[in-house]
Amino acid sequence: MKRLFYDLLFALTLIVLTGNTIQGQTNLSPKVVLFSLDGIGVDQFNEQMMPRLWKIMKETGGWGSSTPSNPAMTFPSHVSIATGVHPERHGIVSNSYYDSSTNEIVKSSAFIEYLGEEPIWVATTRKGIRTAVYHWPCATGAWKGIAPEVYKIF
């Protein structure tokens, strides 16, 4: 129940950030929503399986596709989408890894501290565009002093 409350609160924040009216003024600036369905096969995303999401996709201009990064894992792939570069450049090369300096397994590499390239939410924030990031790997705080206006950690 607590998680549902926070998810609804975050959704409400997004509505405020992207709403059509703010203090009586019409907000006509374009909006971009980057939505990822991790682990969903192309045969699973169709009108019968996901009718509401399919309707949104059809009404809002469609969707894109990508070639998986190598390795084709959740964190490296999502960070490649966010940065526009391959894992060997942004530094997130696995979901977890062995750290030889501490002799321990790091269970998650999805932290902003490990990111070697600027993500899209930092680039847009630097340009003065309001950003919100929800459950995206490496959206865990500020990158080189710049954070999205709103974010919910993955």
Side-chain angles (χ1 to χ4, degrees), residues 12 20 29 36 49-50 59 75 89 99 107 117 129:
L12 211 58
N20 288 335
S29 61
S36 172
M49 295 287 283
M50 299 180 186
E59 291 176 355
F75 298 162
R89 185 159 162 202
D99 185 346
K107 293 182 181 179
E117 292 291 329
I129 299 169

Side-chain angles (χ1 to χ4, degrees), residues 25-154:
Q25 297 179 355
T26 302
N27 182 356
L28 299 176
S29 61
K31 310 295 183 277
V32 174
V33 176
L34 177 59
F35 186 80
S36 172
L37 293 171
D38 187 40
I40 301 293
V42 69
D43 60 325
Q44 295 171 307
F45 184 60
N46 58 52
E47 190 171 10
Q48 292 73 35
M49 295 287 283
M50 299 180 186
R52 291 187 181 122
L53 191 55
W54 190 264
K55 182 179 179 194
I56 291 169
M57 187 266 306
K58 290 294 187 184
E59 291 176 355
T60 60
W63 57 332
S65 63
S66 65
T67 302
S69 63
N70 186 12
M73 300 172 136
T74 298
F75 298 162
S77 295
H78 280 77
V79 175
S80 287
I81 292 168
T83 62
V85 299
H86 294 288
E88 65 269 13
R89 185 159 162 202
H90 61 60
I92 309 300
V93 296
S94 183
N95 292 341
S96 61
Y97 64 94
Y98 173 74
D99 185 346
S100 60
S101 67
T102 62
N103 200 29
E104 293 185 15
I105 293 177
V106 177
K107 293 182 181 179
S108 175
S109 63
F111 294 99
I112 197 76
E113 296 83 6
Y114 303 133
L115 190 55
E117 292 291 329
E118 182 179 72
I120 191 170
W121 57 84
V122 169
T124 52
T125 300
R126 263 191 313 101
K127 297 286 185 181
I129 299 169
R130 301 171 79 185
T131 59
V133 184
Y134 182 76
H135 282 208
W136 201 273
C138 291
T140 58
W143 188 82
K144 295 189 178 181
I146 301 172
E149 186 171 339
V150 178
Y151 62 93
K152 183 158 175 129
I153 296 174
F154 176 77

Side-chain angles (χ1 to χ4, degrees), residues 10-32:
F10 186 79
L12 211 58
T13 304
L14 287 179
I15 291 168
V16 170
L17 285 175
T18 63
N20 288 335
T21 60
I22 297 176
Q23 298 176 353
Q25 297 179 355
T26 302
N27 182 356
L28 299 176
S29 61
K31 310 295 183 277
V32 174

